[in-house]
Structures are given as structure tokens and as C-alpha cells.
Amino acid sequence: MMPQSRSFSPIGAPARVLVVHPLASCTSPVYGRGKLSLIRAFWTTLLIACYLVDCGLAKEPEKSPWPELTTTARPWTYLWCMGSAVDRENMTKQLDRFHAAGLGGIHIIPIYGAKGYESRYIEYLSPKWMEMLEYTIEEARKRGMDVDMSLGTGWCFGGPNVTEHESGLRATCKVIDVPVGRKLEARFAPGTTYALIAYDKEGKPKDITKQIEASGQITWKPEGGAWKVYAVSEKSGRRKVKRAALGGEGYMLNPFYGEAIDRYLERFTKAFSEYKGPRPRAIYQDSYEYFSEWSPDLFAEFEKRRGYRLQDHLPQMFGSGSDDATARVKCDYRETLSDMMVETFTQTWASWGYEHGMKTRNQAHGSPGNLLDLYAAVDIPETEMFSRDREMLVCKFASSAAHVVGGKPLVSSETGTWLAEHFTETLADMKRLVDEMYVSGINHVFYHGTCYSPDDAAWPGWLFYAATEMNPRNAFWHDVPALNAYIARCQSVLQADRPDNDILLYWPIHDLWHDPSGTVQMLTVHQRAWLNKQPIGETAKMLWNRGYAFDYISDRQLQNNIADHDANRFWTCGARYLTVVVPPCEYMPPDTMKQLKDLAHNGTTVIFQDRIPHDVPGLGNLERRRKEFRELLADLKFDSQGGKVREAKVGTGRFLVGDLETALALAKIPRETLVDRSDLLFIRRRSESPSGTTYFICNHGEKAFDGWIAPAAEIGQPLLMDPWTGRTGRAATRQTAAGKTQLYLQLPPGGSIIIRPSSEKDATNSSWAYWQTDGGPIALSGSWKVQFLEGGPTLPKEFETAKLASWTELGGAEATRFAGTARYSIAFDAPKQGKQFQLDLGRVCQSARVRLNGRELGISIAAPHQMIIDDLKPFGNVLEVDATNLSANRLRDLDRRGVVWRKFNDINFASISYKQFDASKWPVQDSGLLGPVPPGPSK
């Protein structure tokens, strides 16, 4: 077995220097030294060629195992258009820059305008606006890009044609005591009093709503004892569209009110009926930030869906009781809202999109509904993670819906929202976030994002506040093409392959809804008690940490999307699975239990963690449904399976109840043991061409991984594919005594790799190059020439130094406020020992492009900044490192000098803490090539 790579540390004088590490050779733990020359030559050639492809300077090898880098494979970006103040000249320039950097598409979102540019504003959906939409789509497609658009301005849906009555509503309930012998003296508005229900002392309801006269008086005369009268009316939330653009201002609509949704879509129907240009690829709905919990037709919808009148249970709906009846009524209320969100709202606007030739993207999170059903209602489910508050198990709700229902090929993500404070985010931060998205099942990244800015707007141009500023004015844009190429390679594979998860994890949402407190429950990506404080959260975490591949599934999906099955597995309408796991829960609809029994009857092992649910949710037809549920369980005969698990045969399959991991082992559900090693994360996909299993693996830890892994799936003779450089090669493999294939893997901290089946066209691929150090580090000493290439506000003077440090220390006052790229160059002679070396740049702030003797070696955006170098000349080698910093120091300088650059309406430009942004007190950030860190203690 190949030994671990040794730690690298600088030697010699205390001044910071670069070091090179001699390499024993390009070795393989299986193939040995017999093929060193061939392997070394292959790696070097491929590494250089793939970098040149990124820069447009060389052609990719003809027989590349990488799938085609399509428009969809490349990353897209949100494009906020302030005041919709776009013009042909500047839009053309923006699209050229986006295309040159490797973006695949843009998502147009009109927002509030920039101050001083009011004359350029274009009213939303006006003929001029539609004309610019046509021009943008045409120009984007000329460049091999595409365009999505929000179905509105800012967020959420709403605007000038939404009345207050059609906006978000809350129900108000006034309770009036009517003593014995007294009349009901109060008056009620006949048009907006949705229910007036009198309850006698036994709690029996009497509906007196129709007895409200035009004057507001009541003709009802109380009889018998005392009464309590409940009057339900509406209260407008009066929430306006957030960050609206000209022509998009107005109330947010009520997503539960069908009439409001239909009226809202009318203005889009009119605009597009008169539009003859190309349609956007997709329309989009942002995450749920509506202010609504009621609808004028909610009573009717509730009765139709739940089978009883909510009006007859107003004390439970609007009271503060903690009893079971109250929990059941509120469970039914929440399920009704969820159904309306799916059917009345999402399916309505999605159908409008299909009728007008556009696909649909939707962010379901935040909704008071079943996220799995909402994500599944569109073509492209979309999730997000916010700043450092991230949870991959939440993102899996979007990808699960795509996998389970219809096999949707794309799952997108809003990527980079508040990644860090403005202009302090790094490309390394973005890559780490993207990798988290990938292992969560995402394969279509949208940067969040980019603000359109005309060239005559002074630096930093127009900016949107809740974003990682992925725009050509940001200093790090210099090396964004490398990140975009990485994303495109990853997504070319992840989009080409199909999901390959073994477990469907049932979401017992009725346990969440069965809560007597409150009304709506917002299922957000930020406050995650709805997942983490529920048993399903613990189960999902256990499966994730132990390396089990799973998707979530809802009641609706279980009941309607099982397509086929055989003795060992079953298929939903989108993917294949081996088992269903039900986490500990109390309530389950009879139709769900019936589907689980049907699956087991046809050969599936269904696993109930700890126990089988004992009751049905909700109040409607309660006893009939309880009887049905008991009958479904009555014929189950359980036998012990070793103490921790009980088994009941069901047809050709079975129910297992008890300890989850024991049950998974009995069901022969494989797990990926690679998660036991270091901080490796993975997602597994199924490739059809070539046939086999694909893995995306990333090292999320701080230490390099160097060793054997044993994938659970049969991998044959796989290819290793490096999505950062594009190089590929046959992996070193070996067989265990049990007949399992292991492969050797080297991954630096933050590194990622794709394991994919090889095909006949890949047969000529050389073996993967594995490297190890052979000797101590060798310092590169001499004088460094530092020349500033591009950036601003002005280019500092070039200088020379024998000591590497931040250019803010060495380059004078201008360098302390400079944002951009500087070239570090040094001449050196080849070390006497070794032929191949690992170049260790040490600390780089923040990214580096490296050339040796005029030959491109690659781009590094994250530590460790290391590259392989060979073919050194005996004398006079020239190393050039183009180091790029962040824009933070330049922003700091603007604010210290009092330059007014935050000139935007609405929220203007807020900090990550939603306070006034001010960089004047920031410390100067280190920039450029700082060299190796001084040696630390050995480990």
C-alpha cells in the first residue's frame, strides 16, 4: 500500500519563501513503477490541455470521457435588473462577459432602481420591457446561453392588479358571550363575515351566518341557556411585494385564493399574447414569504377535502386548548392549506407556464405545506442554503421530489446568498458550498448572484444586497472561469446520470401537523425545528452519517407514484429503490399503510423504526378510518429476529419493526463505508452510458485523504475524473477476500473527484497518476518581481522583494486599497535531486494562476495551493504566479474617503446583519502571494 503523503513545511531562513517538494515519481499502488513514464506523460499532457481548454487556447482531446458541456451543465446566475433599466449595448456587453467566463444562463429578476438613473427605468411588462426581454433571449441564445425569468418583480408574486381582498389574509375570530335571556346585540359585516356560529352549553353548533341582515343586525333569537357566538372575518396582512421594480409594485397575492391567482396571471397572459419573440426557458417562483393563513373560500375547500365543516369546530380552531380534538382539527386545517398550495396555487401557475411554452422552477421552502409535494409540482425544484447556516438534509427535500416523481433531470439551487459579508467571500467558499449542494442531490447551480450594471456606473457599479457579488467588476472574477469550468464538468456528469438511492424515507408530516398550538407552520431553511426536532430528522441524520443513500417520500407520492416492482426492488415514477423506512411516528393515513402493505406483498421489505404508528391523523370520519387502519394491521404476525427486530411476512415481502440499523442489515441494504474515513461526503448516481455506477466524492475535512475505499456498488474498472483540471485515468483497484472491489483515492482538503464506469471509447485511457513525496522541501530563493496587471482604483508601482508578504505591506499606500491581480515572477535553477516536484505556494490571498517557463500549470482557488511541475530546465527557469485578491480593501477605501456609491432605492445596500453597510472600519486584508507558513510542530 502506498504510504501517506508527508506534511510539507518550509525550511531555511525565517523569511517566507516558496518551496518545492521532490516527488518519488508518478506511481500507482497497483501498477508499480513499470509504467511510470507513460503515466507521467499522460498526466502532464492532460493537465495542461484541460487548462488551455478553459482559456479557449487548446482543444479538448477528441475522445473525452466527460459528457458534453451543455448550456444547462454550465452554472447560471440570477441577474437582478435595477428598475429594469437595461439597454441593448450594455446587455450585449454583459452577456459577452458572462459567456467568456463560462456561464450557461441568466435568470432575470427586475427589482428597485438605482438613484440617478430614473430616466432609464422601464415599466415591467410594458412593450419596451417585452422588447428588451426578446433582445436578451435572442442574444443569449446566440452565445449558447439561455434565460429564465421570475413571474413578477422582486418577490413574491404580486403587483398592481392584486387587490387588498386578494392579498394575504389572516382570519380573526371574535367570541361573544350571550347570557340567558339576552339577545345578540353586536353587528356584523355581511360581506366579510365568513362564519357566525352559535354554540350552546353542550358545544353543539348552530350556523346563523345567513341571518346577518344588510344592516349588520342578526335576526336569530337565542333560546334556552347561555350561548357563545364565534364570528370569523378576514384581516388583510397588507404585505407588499418585496424589492419591487417599476410596474411591479403592489400587494403580494394570497396563494390560497384561486380567484386571486387567476387574476394575477391575466396581466402575463396579455403581455405574452402580444409578444412574438422567443420564450424564456422557465418561469420561477421564489421562496415563500407570503403573509397569509386564510382564504375567502377556505371553509368550502376544507369541507370538500376533509369531509366535515370547520365552522362546526371553531372553538378548537381558534381556541387555546391542548386536547387531542384541537390538535386533530388544526392538523386538518394545515393539510388543507398544503393541498391548496399544491393544487390551487403551484399547479395553476405551473400550468400557465406550460400553456405558454415555458418550464417551471419553484422554491417551495418556507411554505406552510408539504415541501415534497410542492417541489414535485414543477419541472425544476429549487432549494437554497443561507450563509453559514446550512443543512444538506433540508436540501435533499428538493432533490428527493425530483427523483421520486417523474425522474426530473434537473434540481437547482440558489447558491451564494449571504455567503459572507460583501466582498469578503472567496471562490473557495463558493466551491465548498457548491460541493455541499452536489452531495445533497443538486445538479443545476444558480449563483445568487449578479446585478446588471451599465459601464457608465462608477465602480463598484450597481449591486444587490443579498448576494455574493458574482459580477465582472469584482476582483475575483479574474479566476471565476476556473470555478465555472469545475461546475460545468461536475454537472455534465450529474445531469447525465440518474439517481441511485436505496432507501425511501417516509415523511410523517401529520405528526408535525398534529399540534394544538398556533395555526400555520412555516417550513423554512433557516428555522428547522420542523425537521431537526422531529424523529425523521434524527433518522435522516443517522442514515446520512452512516452512509446510506436515501430520498424522502410523502404520503401523496407513496400513494400515487409506485410504478412497478420485482422481488428485490421497486420503482417510483422516477427512480428505483430497495426499501421504505418509516421513522418513529404516531399517525399515518390508511391509504399510506395500504400502499406499504401492497409494496411488501410484492416483495419489498418495509422497515418501521422502533414501532408501527398506532393511529390515523385528523378528525374527519375518524372512527371509520381508525377501523380501516386496524384492519390493515390485523393480519400481521410478528416473529423475533434476534431480539432487536420483529418480522411479519406480507405476501412475498415483509415488515421489519425495531432497531433501524439491524433491520437495514437484515434487508441487505448496503451502506457506503467511505463516510467512516476522514470527512468524505458522496452522492451516488446510476450511469446508463456507459452502464454502471457513478460517485461524486468530496473531502470536506482539513486533512488530505490518501487510502483505499470500498464503494458499495460494483464498480468494475472505473475511471477517476478530476472535475477541477479535467484529467482522467483508470483507478488503481484491488479485490478483497470477500470479492469486493476497492480503489485507491488521493484527495486534498476541499478536493473532489468523480468515479465513473469506463467504456470502450475510454479503453486507451492511461492509469490514474498517484504521487508521493520523496525527500524534504527545497526552498526557492531569490528576488521576486511583483507587477500589478489589472484592477483598481489605480495600478500600484511594481516592486521587487526577497521576502514574500502581503502586497499591502510591500507595495505602498496604493497597494493597500488595490483590488485586482498582480504577477509574481522569479527565476531559479532546477534542484539537483529529482525530476518531478510538487510546487507549494503556501498562503495565497485568494487565488492564483501559475505558469512555468511560459507553460500554464493551472489555477488554484483554495488551499493547499499545490501543483505538480516537471520538465525543468537545468538553469534559468521562470515561475510566474498571477495572484488575485478580494475587493474588500477597495471597498474599505471608498468608505474611508466618504465616496457615495450606495445609491439604490428601497433597502439600498445592507450588510449581512441587515444594518447599514460600512467598510470604513475594516482592517486591511492580506493580499497576493504570501508564501509558505512557518514550520509548525511535527505530528
Side-chain angles (χ1 to χ4, degrees):
M1 179 174 174
M2 190 167 69
Q4 298 278 348
S5 296
R6 291 197 294 272
S7 300
F8 305 142
S9 59
I11 60 172
R16 292 185 173 182
V17 295
L18 274 94
V19 297
V20 294
H21 302 273
L23 297 170
S25 51
C26 181
T27 64
S28 158
V30 168
Y31 299 114
R33 297 179 180 269
K35 298 186 179 181
L36 292 180
S37 177
L38 172 63
I39 299 170
R40 181 178 67 249
F42 175 76
W43 186 8
T44 304
T45 302
L46 185 58
L47 179 62
I48 297 166
C50 287
Y51 172 71
L52 294 176
V53 168
D54 295 347
C55 297
L57 300 177
K59 293 183 178 179
E60 192 172 6
E62 291 183 0
K63 292 186 176 181
S64 169
W66 293 98
E68 179 186 359
L69 302 185
T70 63
T71 296
T72 307
R74 293 182 170 88
W76 290 38
T77 189
Y78 286 79
L79 184 67
W80 296 288
C81 297
M82 287 194 156
S84 300
V86 302
D87 60 74
R88 291 175 179 244
E89 179 183 357
N90 281 291
M91 181 59 77
T92 300
K93 291 178 180 178
Q94 303 253 328
L95 291 173
D96 282 341
R97 291 162 187 159
F98 297 159
H99 177 252
L103 289 178
I106 58 173
H107 170 172
I108 296 171
I109 306 182
I111 57 170
Y112 52 85
K115 296 177 182 177
Y117 294 87
E118 287 79 6
S119 63
R120 301 187 192 181
Y121 292 1
I122 302 173
E123 184 177 355
Y124 183 58
L125 296 184
S126 67
K128 178 65 174 175
W129 196 96
M130 300 301 291
E131 176 188 323
M132 285 308 305
L133 175 67
E134 178 180 4
Y135 178 80
T136 301
I137 296 173
E138 288 177 345
E139 290 299 308
R141 290 178 180 167
K142 286 178 184 178
R143 292 159 177 78
M145 301 172 66
D146 215 330
V147 177
D148 287 358
M149 66 171 279
S150 291
L151 201 63
T153 75
W155 64 91
C156 300
F157 288 179
N161 66 330
V162 177
T163 66
E164 183 174 349
H165 176 67
E166 295 166 338
S167 68
L169 297 178
R170 289 185 177 239
T172 62
C173 185
K174 184 178 181 181
V175 181
I176 304 166
D177 288 307
V178 182
V180 176
R182 301 288 298 272
K183 293 182 179 181
L184 183 58
E185 303 291 346
R187 294 180 177 238
F188 305 92
T192 58
T193 302
Y194 294 114
L196 190 65
I197 311 295
Y199 293 85
D200 63 19
K201 62 181 180 179
E202 304 297 329
K204 184 178 179 180
K206 182 178 182 62
D207 192 337
I208 57 175
T209 310
K210 293 183 178 180
Q211 298 185 43
I212 304 175
E213 297 183 334
S215 63
Q217 291 182 318
I218 304 299
T219 60
W220 173 66
K221 296 181 180 179
E223 297 178 356
W227 293 77
K228 281 187 180 294
V229 176
Y230 284 70
V232 179
S233 59
E234 69 180 40
K235 179 180 180 181
S236 171
R238 302 183 63 84
R239 175 165 289 190
K240 300 292 184 71
V241 174
K242 297 183 71 172
R243 319 307 178 217
L246 176 66
E249 307 97 330
Y251 289 114
M252 284 188 192
L253 63 74
N254 184 342
F256 307 118
Y257 191 21
E259 290 184 17
I261 298 157
D262 290 340
R263 257 183 50 82
Y264 176 70
L265 293 172
E266 288 174 0
R267 68 186 307 226
F268 295 94
T269 299
K270 182 177 185 300
F272 277 93
S273 67
E274 300 168 357
Y275 171 77
K276 306 305 179 185
R279 304 300 170 102
R281 181 195 68 159
I283 54 174
Y284 168 83
Q285 151 80 353
D286 211 327
S287 59
Y288 187 100
E289 293 188 28
Y290 298 99
F291 185 82
S292 192
E293 62 180 26
W294 201 259
S295 169
D297 58 355
L298 188 133
F299 281 131
E301 288 289 335
F302 185 97
E303 184 173 0
K304 179 177 69 176
R305 297 171 185 277
R306 305 281 82 84
Y308 68 98
R309 284 167 41 95
L310 181 59
Q311 299 97 307
D312 296 340
H313 300 273
L314 298 182
Q316 288 79 30
M317 180 65 214
F318 294 102
S320 57
S322 59
D323 58 289
D324 183 66
T326 297
R328 288 183 178 276
V329 169
K330 291 191 175 181
C331 176
D332 283 338
Y333 159 75
R334 291 162 185 147
E335 185 169 7
T336 300
L337 289 186
S338 179
D339 290 346
M340 294 171 74
M341 275 293 298
V342 174
E343 298 165 18
T344 305
F345 180 55
T346 307
Q347 290 180 357
T348 298
W349 68 261
S351 295
W352 182 93
Y354 304 146
E355 291 167 4
H356 291 81
M358 292 172 278
K359 295 181 179 180
T360 52
R361 274 175 49 224
N362 182 38
Q363 291 191 353
H365 44 274
S367 301
N370 192 310
L371 301 187
L372 292 172
D373 297 336
L374 290 165
Y375 282 129
V378 297
D379 297 301
I380 307 173
E382 179 163 301
T383 187
E384 67 174 297
M385 284 193 273
F386 187 88
S387 187
R388 310 295 184 189
D389 177 27
R390 309 203 297 238
E391 177 56 82
M392 289 173 276
L393 293 176
V394 170
C395 289
K396 280 184 68 68
F397 278 78
S399 60
S400 295
H403 297 166
V404 169
V405 182
K408 304 174 193 298
L410 299 176
V411 190
S412 59
S413 62
E414 176 186 313
T415 311
T417 308
W418 286 131
L419 192 54
E421 186 57 274
H422 294 292
F423 295 104
T424 66
E425 314 99 329
T426 69
L427 297 183
D429 293 335
M430 184 65 83
K431 180 186 179 297
R432 183 180 179 88
L433 173 60
V434 166
D435 287 346
E436 291 177 7
M437 292 294 189
Y438 288 157
V439 298
S440 306
I442 309 308
N443 62 3
H444 190 19
V445 162
F446 281 74
Y447 292 133
H448 196 271
T450 308
C451 194
Y452 170 96
S453 185
D455 281 4
D456 62 344
W459 193 90
W462 297 357
L463 300 173
F464 179 66
Y465 69 99
T468 296
E469 306 296 345
M470 297 292 289
N471 67 64
R473 305 175 302 284
N474 197 341
F476 69 24
W477 187 264
H478 182 266
D479 290 327
V480 161
L483 178 60
N484 289 345
Y486 168 80
I487 291 173
R489 292 192 189 99
C490 289
Q491 294 187 167
S492 72
V493 173
L494 296 173
Q495 292 175 10
D497 295 343
R498 298 178 63 81
D500 188 34
N501 295 324
D502 300 315
I503 298 169
L504 280 176
L505 177 59
Y506 170 67
W507 185 17
I509 195 169
H510 294 94
D511 277 35
L512 176 69
W513 286 338
H514 190 95
D515 181 349
S517 62
T519 52
V520 295
Q521 296 170 329
M522 315 296 277
L523 311 188
T524 74
V525 298
H526 312 302
Q527 305 296 324
R528 298 185 290 270
W530 60 270
L531 176 66
N532 295 337
K533 299 298 184 181
Q534 293 286 311
I536 185 179
E538 291 299 316
T539 302
K541 185 177 181 181
M542 173 268 177
L543 293 173
W544 179 274
N545 290 340
R546 294 289 289 157
Y548 291 99
F550 70 93
D551 284 322
Y552 302 107
I553 191 167
S554 70
D555 292 284
R556 183 189 294 243
Q557 291 165 2
L558 257 175
Q559 294 166 22
N560 300 317
N561 286 278
I562 303 303
D564 199 3
H565 35 66
D566 61 22
N568 299 311
R569 55 194 171 186
F570 63 95
W571 285 260
T572 68
C573 295
R576 65 182 185 185
Y577 299 91
L578 299 179
T579 190
V580 178
V581 168
V582 179
C585 60
E586 304 300 323
Y587 306 99
M588 178 179 284
D591 286 345
T592 299
M593 180 59 77
K594 182 178 184 301
Q595 182 60 268
L596 293 176
K597 285 196 71 176
D598 287 346
L599 278 171
H601 184 81
N602 287 285
T604 299
T605 295
V606 177
I607 299 173
F608 293 85
Q609 184 180 3
D610 296 344
R611 61 186 182 274
I612 290 181
H614 72 276
D615 204 351
V616 297
L619 188 64
N621 300 308
L622 180 59
E623 292 309 317
R624 177 183 62 77
R625 291 185 298 115
R626 278 176 167 167
K627 180 174 181 293
E628 182 182 354
F629 192 77
R630 288 193 298 267
E631 290 173 351
L632 287 167
L633 301 181
D635 61 347
L636 298 178
K637 308 297 182 183
F638 285 98
D639 296 322
S640 176
Q641 292 290 311
K644 290 186 176 181
V645 173
R646 296 180 298 135
E647 177 188 77
K649 297 291 185 181
V650 181
T652 58
R654 57 183 173 171
F655 279 8
L656 297 179
V657 182
D659 178 73
L660 178 55
E661 196 146 16
T662 302
L664 290 168
L666 286 171
K668 298 182 179 179
I669 307 301
R671 75 179 189 91
E672 299 292 349
T673 57
L674 63 88
V675 300
D676 300 338
R677 308 282 298 273
S678 186
D679 292 282
L680 299 184
L681 300 175
F682 77 96
I683 188 168
R684 198 177 68 212
R685 304 278 289 177
R686 180 163 49 87
S687 172
E688 295 182 353
S689 180
S691 178
T693 304
T694 296
Y695 287 82
F696 172 86
I697 300 174
C698 63
N699 182 357
H700 230 39
E702 298 180 356
K703 297 180 180 179
F705 178 85
D706 192 334
W708 295 95
I709 64 170
E714 181 54 49
I715 56 174
Q717 182 58 63
L719 288 177
L720 291 180
M721 305 170 68
D722 181 356
W724 185 256
T725 65
R727 72 183 180 100
T728 64
R730 292 196 305 274
T733 61
R734 71 182 184 186
Q735 295 293 311
T736 67
K740 293 291 293 182
T741 301
Q742 295 182 327
L743 66 82
Y744 204 83
L745 197 60
Q746 292 179 322
L747 271 183
S752 51
I753 199 76
I754 291 171
I755 304 170
R756 205 158 192 250
S758 58
S759 66
E760 291 183 4
K761 75 172 186 176
D762 305 322
T764 58
N765 268 323
S766 298
S767 300
W768 183 259
Y770 296 90
W771 296 87
Q772 64 182 15
T773 56
D774 183 25
I778 304 167
L780 287 184
S781 58
S783 180
W784 289 88
K785 179 180 178 181
V786 183
Q787 178 186 9
F788 293 88
L789 302 179
E790 61 180 59
T794 59
L795 295 182
K797 294 180 180 180
E798 64 181 63
F799 62 89
E800 292 191 20
T801 180
K803 171 190 175 182
L804 285 172
S806 171
W807 73 48
T808 60
E809 298 178 27
L810 304 175
E814 283 299 321
T816 63
R817 59 183 185 143
F818 176 76
T821 302
R823 175 167 297 164
Y824 291 72
S825 56
I826 189 172
F828 66 97
D829 297 336
K832 294 181 180 180
Q833 67 272 38
K835 293 183 178 180
Q836 294 87 34
F837 302 89
Q838 183 181 69
L839 175 66
D840 187 353
L841 298 179
R843 188 174 173 218
V844 176
C845 297
Q846 291 291 326
S847 59
R849 295 188 177 208
V850 184
R851 279 176 302 281
L852 178 66
N853 298 329
R855 179 166 60 94
E856 304 285 356
L857 294 185
I859 301 176
S860 179
I861 65 168
H865 299 279
Q866 297 170 343
M867 296 180 185
I868 303 301
I869 59 176
D870 62 1
D871 242 359
L872 290 177
K873 300 185 296 185
F875 306 101
N877 296 283
V878 176
L879 177 67
E880 295 174 309
V881 180
D882 292 354
T884 300
N885 72 340
L886 303 177
S887 292
N889 290 342
R890 190 172 178 183
L891 259 292
R892 172 183 179 271
D893 173 67
L894 287 181
D895 282 350
R896 285 170 62 86
R897 291 189 289 115
V899 176
V900 179
W901 59 270
R902 295 179 292 275
K903 297 180 290 186
F904 317 116
N905 290 312
D906 203 286
I907 196 173
N908 200 343
F909 194 73
S911 71
I912 194 170
S913 58
Y914 274 81
K915 297 178 180 178
Q916 182 178 356
F917 179 88
D918 180 9
S920 63
K921 294 182 174 58
W922 287 3
V924 174
Q925 293 203 6
D926 287 342
S927 302
L929 182 60
L930 279 67
V933 177
S938 60
K939 295 184 179 179

